[in-house]
Amino acid sequence: MIYQRKAGRRVAVVGCIVLLAACAERGGKVVGPDAPRSTRVQTDLSWLSRSIAVGMGEPEVRAAVRDAMRASRLTEHKLSLQQFMTTAEGSLLLRAAAAVQETSAQELSEAIARLPELDFYVPRREHRLTWRASRDYMVVATMNADPRKTGFDADGRSVVLDISLPETPGPAVLLLHPAETKSRRVAPQPDRAGLTIQDPDDGELSGTFVFTDAEGRITVVELADLLLHAQPFRPMLDHCDPTAINCEHTTDTGGGPPPDATYLTYIETHGICDWADCGQGNEFEFFAQSWDGSTGHLRIENIPSTTAQLRFDLLITSEPLDDQSVIQISVKETDGAFGDDQFYLAEVGYCGPIPLGASFNGAGWLLTEQSCDAAANKTLGVKFEWQ
């Protein structure tokens, strides 16, 4: 892909969830201590997802879950299940789920605490916008990237679904899986009551920026704070492409031009699906290492599986001076529990990270997933600019 050079800029694109004895008495599958840990955890999560699904059969429990997710400022309105269960809203769900398993809330809480940290959320935007805490939902737990999942409805019946399908299934899917890195969303919806988890005006981008200078000093800033932060980490409005997502939230135009820096200004995805679910967002990480010894680490969250977006995200506070002052940029899409997907630049005689500074031709970098075979992999297009 080729992009127009902008005037005045140099552009380069570069245990079972309840007591085992109780499970055995009610005919539940008990996995022995010699079973692989992932198998044991998946079985535990299946019991947990069914207990939560049936527990949410009560209207007040569903409303509590909806309201807690609505109030979350994190990526995709995620909740940490273990933390949520300690809140007033979560205690309603904890007691209801414990009643399903005929155990106490304390015993269930202790069992949940022994599981890996879990994210609990509605991954598909359409469901966050439309589900009104009604009975049309299913709860799904997963430990792997297999797109075929078994979920449970409000009556505890199992339902098999394929989460890789692009069309949105009718019932809202509430997902449990091992926790991923989360951060606060940029420009979240106002803190107000509502019938759904998400309003149409809600901000969806989230992420973090980590900068390490040549002396080893580290600065960590969430993207939600980046535009409110003091220089040198805040791009000014008069230096920002007005069509970029972040520009509309920049209000301070004082302080002069930003320092030399390299920005991610465009991202294009083609069928890249987090957790094998093409309906939820991806998390991309860009790691830049500069000729001067400084590094930058940009993480952006909730990027759709297929999209094209203008952006203005700070990657590293340095820029190439010439063809010898190269910044190398590595890219990966994080997948939580089952490994990350690396993306590579394939050019004649080269396969690896993007070498920024070796080219000033304004061409777009087209990266391929897991290898340099463009014909056999999903692709990611990116563009970087320095100024």
Side-chain angles (χ1 to χ4, degrees):
M1 61 188 76
I2 303 297
Y3 301 93
Q4 181 68 37
R5 183 190 303 267
K6 293 190 177 181
R9 291 184 181 175
R10 292 169 295 161
V11 177
V13 182
V14 237
C16 185
I17 199 60
V18 296
L19 300 178
L20 294 181
C23 284
E25 288 173 3
R26 288 191 289 278
K29 180 179 179 181
V30 178
V31 179
D34 294 331
R37 185 175 186 274
S38 60
T39 302
R40 296 199 307 271
V41 172
Q42 182 63 62
T43 301
D44 291 348
L45 288 180
S46 296
W47 278 96
L48 177 59
S49 60
R50 183 181 184 279
S51 301
I52 288 176
V54 178
M56 286 179 57
E58 298 298 326
E60 63 272 18
V61 177
R62 292 196 300 274
V65 170
R66 185 267 321 273
D67 292 347
M69 290 182 178
R70 180 178 176 84
S72 172
R73 294 295 182 100
L74 300 178
T75 310
E76 298 171 304
H77 291 259
K78 288 180 177 178
L79 300 173
S80 166
L81 181 72
Q82 282 87 345
Q83 181 180 356
F84 172 57
M85 289 301 197
T86 66
T87 66
E89 295 90 347
S91 66
L92 291 176
L93 177 58
L94 182 66
R95 290 195 298 270
V100 174
Q101 292 293 348
E102 300 177 16
T103 188
S104 70
Q106 179 64 31
E107 288 174 330
L108 182 57
S109 177
E110 292 171 356
I112 292 174
R114 291 192 291 269
L115 290 171
E117 184 181 354
L118 300 171
D119 283 338
F120 181 42
Y121 67 113
V122 174
R124 297 208 167 190
R125 180 177 187 272
E126 292 85 354
H127 290 156
R128 295 195 299 271
L129 288 169
T130 59
W131 185 60
R132 297 192 171 199
S134 55
R135 283 179 62 90
D136 58 332
Y137 67 88
M138 64 181 69
V139 179
V140 178
T142 185
M143 279 289 292
N144 57 56
D146 186 345
R148 288 181 60 82
K149 307 292 183 186
T150 299
F152 298 92
D153 65 15
D155 297 315
R157 294 178 298 228
S158 62
V159 180
V160 177
L161 69 157
D162 187 342
I163 63 173
S164 67
L165 297 176
E167 63 268 19
T168 303
V173 175
L174 289 86
L175 187 63
L176 285 164
H177 66 56
E180 297 180 303
T181 301
K182 299 174 286 295
S183 54
R184 290 177 294 118
R185 301 190 309 283
V186 175
Q189 65 195 27
D191 186 9
R192 61 194 177 201
L195 297 176
T196 59
I197 294 171
Q198 181 174 326
D199 292 340
D201 63 349
D202 184 36
E204 298 187 9
L205 170 73
S206 55
T208 54
F209 169 72
V210 181
F211 172 69
T212 305
D213 66 17
E215 285 73 44
R217 293 184 292 264
I218 299 175
T219 300
V220 181
V221 187
E222 289 196 32
L223 296 188
D225 296 326
L226 187 59
L227 298 182
L228 302 176
H229 202 274
Q231 290 279 28
F233 302 106
R234 182 181 61 198
M236 291 294 141
L237 183 62
D238 55 345
H239 296 280
C240 188
D241 184 333
T243 62
I245 292 176
N246 287 357
C247 289
E248 61 183 298
H249 308 304
T250 307
T251 57
D252 184 356
T253 59
D260 292 342
T262 300
Y263 298 87
L264 169 70
T265 57
Y266 181 81
I267 186 168
E268 180 177 320
T269 57
H270 300 270
I272 302 170
C273 303
D274 191 43
W275 287 96
D277 183 355
C278 297
Q280 68 169 300
N282 293 280
E283 298 81 36
F284 288 99
E285 294 188 2
F286 301 84
F287 181 81
Q289 186 162 9
S290 176
W291 57 274
D292 63 4
S294 63
T295 63
H297 179 196
L298 170 67
R299 177 181 172 87
I300 53 175
E301 301 164 1
N302 204 17
I303 300 297
S305 64
T306 299
T307 190
Q309 297 183 9
L310 291 169
R311 309 205 54 81
F312 198 74
D313 299 320
L314 180 62
L315 174 63
I316 187 169
T317 56
S318 62
E319 65 174 36
L321 302 178
D322 52 45
D323 282 2
Q324 304 304 313
S325 58
V326 174
I327 295 173
Q328 282 206 322
I329 302 172
S330 301
V331 184
K332 68 179 180 179
E333 189 274 314
T334 60
D335 281 316
F338 55 87
D340 298 331
D341 298 321
Q342 299 288 334
F343 286 83
Y344 300 97
L345 172 67
E347 292 188 340
V348 177
Y350 179 82
C351 176
I354 302 170
L356 265 183
S359 173
F360 294 91
N361 60 9
W365 298 116
L366 187 62
L367 311 180
T368 54
E369 186 180 43
Q370 298 298 77
S371 81
C372 285
D373 180 7
N377 288 273
K378 298 170 184 176
T379 58
L380 171 71
V382 290
K383 178 179 180 181
F384 297 91
E385 297 182 30
W386 54 83
Q387 57 185 19

